Each structure stands twice: as C-alpha cells, then as structure tokens.
Amino acid sequence: MLVRPAQAKDTPQARALLNRIIEIGGTTAYQTPLDQQAFNSTFLANAHLISCLVCESANDELLGFQSLHRWPELPAGWADIATFARAEPKVPGVGTALFASTAAHARAAGIECINATIRADNVPGLSYYSKMGFV
C-alpha cells in the first residue's frame, strides 16, 4: 500500500468509493452522493483543508482516503478528520496507514487535537477511531 496526497486524477475512484459507502448507508453522515464538483470542493480545493491523503494498492487501485480540515468553529489547534475505506472488498490496514500519514500532516500544521465526529451507530468506524487512540 502507498499513501500519498490526493490529486485531481483520484477524484473518479475516490468519489465512487465514497458514493458506494453512502449507498450502503449506516457509516457516514453523508446522505446524498457527491457529484464531482461537490467532491472536489470538499476534499481537494477547500480553504480549510490541511490534507487529503489516498491509500492505493500496488496496481494504483484506490483503497481509501482521509481528510483533515481546520474549520473556523473548532477551537484553535483542532482539526476534523474524515476517513473512507473501500467497503467491498475490505482491505485490512488502510485506515491505519492513512492515519499515520495524516497525524504527521496534523503535527506539521500545528494541530494539537483531532476531532472525529462519527455516527453513534457506526460500529466499524467507532472501532477504527478507538484503535487509533481516539476517546
């Protein structure tokens, strides 16, 4: 697996991955599939974006992505994280690989606390963030 900054060329695969998660339901607050413009303005070209990283396989297949935003309503030194890993088939280790790189970007940006806003019924997501050290 390779983790790297997201690029415009990643939009089709990343958007399809996220839209499939939305379609399945139950693990994201997003309720409506994102078109290309909405995806890009949220995850690639956003004034509050600190980083958006993708995780891909050796054959350039996108396995997941993770974004980190510094929203004005958050306390100073805080950022919000969002993680999306391919639902079908799942690939172990994607979220862990992404978080290691995202944490480095957060430190470089002076972020002291990362906030994960997650649905209470998102058992896999709660487990993932707990494993990453979130409380």
Side-chain angles (χ1 to χ4, degrees):
M1 285 188 275
L2 169 72
V3 174
R4 61 169 175 76
Q7 302 169 12
K9 71 176 185 154
D10 299 314
T11 297
Q13 285 191 73
R15 190 170 69 89
L17 183 150
L18 175 54
N19 285 343
R20 178 64 183 136
I21 292 169
I22 294 167
E23 180 184 316
I24 292 168
T27 61
T28 181
Y30 288 102
Q31 299 294 307
T32 306
L34 277 68
D35 63 20
Q36 183 171 333
Q37 181 180 359
F39 183 90
N40 286 344
S41 67
T42 301
F43 297 107
L44 295 179
N46 187 300
H48 304 291
L49 185 68
I50 296 170
S51 67
C52 185
L53 305 172
V54 298
C55 181
E56 61 186 11
S57 68
N59 63 350
D60 299 330
E61 184 179 12
L62 195 121
L63 305 173
F65 68 97
Q66 189 168 67
S67 66
L68 191 65
H69 288 84
R70 185 181 337 200
W71 300 112
E73 58 272 11
L74 290 173
W78 283 51
D80 268 343
I81 193 170
T83 307
F84 305 98
R86 187 174 71 186
E88 304 159 331
K90 291 186 182 297
V91 177
V94 171
T96 302
L98 284 165
F99 187 71
S101 293
T102 295
H105 281 263
R107 282 190 292 279
I111 299 301
E112 300 166 4
C113 184
I114 299 175
N115 178 60
T117 301
I118 188 166
R119 293 168 48 129
D121 61 348
N122 182 351
V123 174
L126 292 168
S127 175
Y128 164 72
Y129 283 115
S130 177
K131 192 168 88 173
M132 296 302 107
F134 285 71
V135 290

